[in-house]
Amino acid sequence: MMKVFVAIDSFKGAVGSAAACRAAADALRERFAQREAGGRLSAPAGSGRSAASPADVREFPVSDGGEGFCECIHHYLGGTWIPLPVTGPDGQTVEAKYLIANGKAPANGSIFGTGDASGAGDASPKTAFIESASACGYTLVSGSHPDPREHDTDSHDRPDPRELTTAGVGELIADAIRRGCTRIVLGLGGTATIDAGLGLYNALRKAFPAAPDPNRCDGDDAGATLGDIEFTVCVDTFAPLTGPAGAAYMYGPQKGLRKDQLAEADAWLSRQASRLGLSPTTPGFGAAGGLLCGLTAALSLRQMSEGTGPILEIVSGADYLIEISGLKEAIREISKDNILIITGEGRVDEQSLTGKLTGRIAAFASSLNQDSTQPINQASRLPRTKVLCLAGSIGKGFDPKNSIFDEVLVITPEGTPLDKALADTAANIRRTLLKHFSV
């Protein structure tokens, strides 16, 4: 029996991971049921159920830390949503939310840290899961979004992302601490901002003033402390803050930076890192427009004033969700069978290989296919894990035929206006897979 695992990221501004996975899984179940019945449907189209299906199709909603991160966490761990009005990216109030969840979260290897993260895998009712996109996300900013299918289009009616703020993320963190959370898992990605985390930095300094009591969270009678908090930051990229692969050059155009602003923005980010006492070349500082810089600086100041430091570990958001979802365990349990993983995101390009979900899944599949413990003549007969990637569009210079994916399918019909492409994403996922796996 064919084993198919559907692990698709959210398509930004269109559909969430769960909806994308369901659209793909329903299409596959329908098509495989048709094959089993010799072309006759054995279940209603889109029902998601077919006892006669010759394939085992499983859904794993996932995220790399950006839009939909907390929704995926809630899918696996449950928990309580905490709605909260916070400062939005343009300074206006937006309705954000975060999650306080029970259950076990994985212990990931730290990229770098400021403390012992050995117990970071134990999530409790006092663990808050916060998504940066909820407070300063791409979709919260007015103005037309650059069409990801257009490679050379400057956006002249979007605000400068350096002038937008991440303050709302800091407000979510402060609220979680006021409620007694002692561990915070922060998903970074999908933000409209490139502010080097200055908004978050200032919000935390306001909530945790240096005087008269550097430990006290302003307005909290319980005296919550920042120094006792364990932070796990799930990044969607390990890109540095500056340089050709940094927040301005790599991610600025999709947030509204024009080509003639990139060099200036890159230099500005370098100056902000210097002001905060940080190195702009640190891996992960380019995630979410440099938001991690503000958090790192705020925690470093607290560490110096308190003599101890909060725990800060930086991990791959994709690996974190893949671990929670059980995808790795599910694949290893049936390693004797050939496996197809279907993943996807709104745009597949060079960014997909810098920590994004699709690239991490493909890398994981590649590791499964390279078992150095087997003799060469036996290794060639090992079960194969293939990865099919669905994309709303493909970035300039990205060659699907010479990529880490076995196959890349563009789901958007050529010539479709952006607003229609976004509205029809789930339908396009379904249509593309039905055609690809035709009877």
Side-chain angles (χ1 to χ4, degrees), residues 84 86-89 94 96 130 135-136 165-173 199-200 203:
L84 188 72
V86 299
T87 303
V94 298
I130 297 174
C136 59
T165 181
T166 54
V169 183
E171 292 165 10
L172 291 175
I173 292 173
L200 176 145

Side-chain angles (χ1 to χ4, degrees), residues 393-433:
S393 65
I394 295 177
K396 183 179 181 180
F398 185 86
D399 182 4
K401 295 181 180 179
N402 293 305
S403 71
I404 58 176
F405 304 107
D406 291 280
E407 195 165 7
V408 178
L409 301 179
V410 178
I411 67 169
T412 310
E414 188 174 352
T416 305
L418 179 60
D419 57 350
K420 181 171 176 56
L422 295 175
D424 294 347
T425 295
N428 286 335
I429 289 173
R430 171 181 168 80
R431 175 190 54 77
T432 299
L433 290 176

Side-chain angles (χ1 to χ4, degrees), residues 64-66 111-112 187-190 233-241 245-247 250-251 254-255 282-290 292 314-318 350-357 360:
D64 52 22
I111 303 305
F112 66 90
L188 297 190
V233 181
C234 298
V235 298
D236 66 345
T237 175
F238 290 109
L241 182 66
M250 179 69 80
Y251 305 101
Q254 70 192 42
K255 298 184 182 187
T282 301
F285 274 6
L292 180 54
I314 316 300
V315 302
S316 161
E350 65 273 16
Q351 297 179 22
S352 302
L353 310 181
T354 64
K356 301 287 187 179
L357 176 83
R360 301 296 282 196

Side-chain angles (χ1 to χ4, degrees), residues 49-414:
R49 300 183 301 276
S50 175
S53 174
D56 179 5
V57 181
R58 305 185 195 179
E59 301 166 43
F60 295 86
V62 282
S63 168
D64 52 22
E67 186 178 275
F69 176 74
C70 285
E71 291 285 354
C72 291
I73 294 290
H74 186 264
H75 178 86
Y76 297 108
L77 300 184
T80 301
W81 287 108
I82 307 296
L84 188 72
V86 299
T87 303
D90 60 359
Q92 302 297 312
T93 299
V94 298
E95 291 296 325
K97 64 179 181 180
Y98 65 94
L99 182 71
I100 297 179
N102 297 306
K104 289 283 185 179
N108 289 271
S110 180
I111 303 305
F112 66 90
T114 58
D116 177 13
S118 60
D122 185 16
S124 74
K126 294 301 183 181
T127 298
F129 294 87
I130 297 174
E131 177 184 316
S132 62
S134 175
C136 59
Y138 185 77
T139 58
L140 297 176
V141 177
S142 60
S144 62
H145 297 274
D147 190 330
R149 300 166 297 177
E150 299 292 335
H151 306 299
D152 299 311
T153 300
D154 282 340
S155 176
H156 291 276
D157 61 348
R158 296 272 294 170
D160 188 324
R162 291 171 292 175
E163 297 176 357
L164 301 175
T165 181
T166 54
V169 183
E171 292 165 10
L172 291 175
I173 292 173
D175 187 78
I177 295 174
R178 290 188 186 102
R179 294 176 186 268
C181 294
T182 57
R183 182 175 180 227
I184 292 175
V185 180
L186 178 62
L188 297 190
T191 67
T193 55
I194 302 181
D195 75 339
L198 294 176
L200 176 145
Y201 174 78
N202 289 324
L204 286 182
R205 290 190 67 186
K206 180 180 179 181
F208 298 88
D213 182 353
N215 287 325
R216 191 172 179 80
C217 180
D218 187 37
D220 184 4
D221 292 335
T225 63
L226 187 61
D228 294 332
I229 307 304
E230 297 181 6
F231 285 88
T232 298
V233 181
C234 298
V235 298
D236 66 345
T237 175
F238 290 109
L241 182 66
T242 59
Y249 281 104
M250 179 69 80
Y251 305 101
Q254 70 192 42
K255 298 184 182 187
L257 279 182
R258 302 188 308 272
K259 290 189 293 292
D260 62 0
Q261 295 176 310
L262 297 180
E264 178 191 354
D266 189 70
W268 180 85
L269 287 170
S270 181
R271 290 195 299 273
Q272 305 319 307
S274 178
R275 288 177 56 195
L276 295 172
L278 303 172
S279 169
T281 62
T282 301
F285 274 6
L291 195 152
L292 180 54
C293 294
L295 177 62
T296 302
L299 297 185
S300 296
L301 284 178
R302 195 57 53 196
Q303 180 178 7
M304 288 186 292
S305 67
E306 297 173 4
T308 60
I311 293 174
L312 172 62
E313 61 169 349
I314 316 300
V315 302
S316 161
D319 289 353
Y320 192 90
L321 255 300
I322 289 171
E323 193 74 28
I324 284 182
S325 72
L327 176 61
K328 286 185 177 181
E329 289 74 12
I331 290 174
R332 288 172 176 143
E333 285 175 3
I334 56 172
S335 58
K336 65 180 181 297
D337 297 318
N338 287 315
I339 298 167
L340 172 64
I341 302 177
I342 295 181
T343 187
E345 60 181 325
R347 174 184 167 100
V348 175
D349 53 23
E350 65 273 16
Q351 297 179 22
S352 302
L353 310 181
T354 64
K356 301 287 187 179
L357 176 83
T358 52
R360 301 296 282 196
I361 285 180
F364 170 60
S366 177
S367 70
L368 293 177
N369 294 329
Q370 298 174 1
D371 189 343
S372 60
T373 65
Q374 294 289 337
I376 294 178
N377 63 336
Q378 294 183 23
S380 63
R381 298 195 296 271
L382 287 173
R384 175 106 163 87
T385 300
K386 295 184 178 181
V387 179
L388 186 157
C389 183
L390 303 176
S393 65
I394 295 177
K396 183 179 181 180
F398 185 86
D399 182 4
K401 295 181 180 179
N402 293 305
S403 71
I404 58 176
F405 304 107
D406 291 280
E407 195 165 7
V408 178
L409 301 179
V410 178
I411 67 169
T412 310
E414 188 174 352

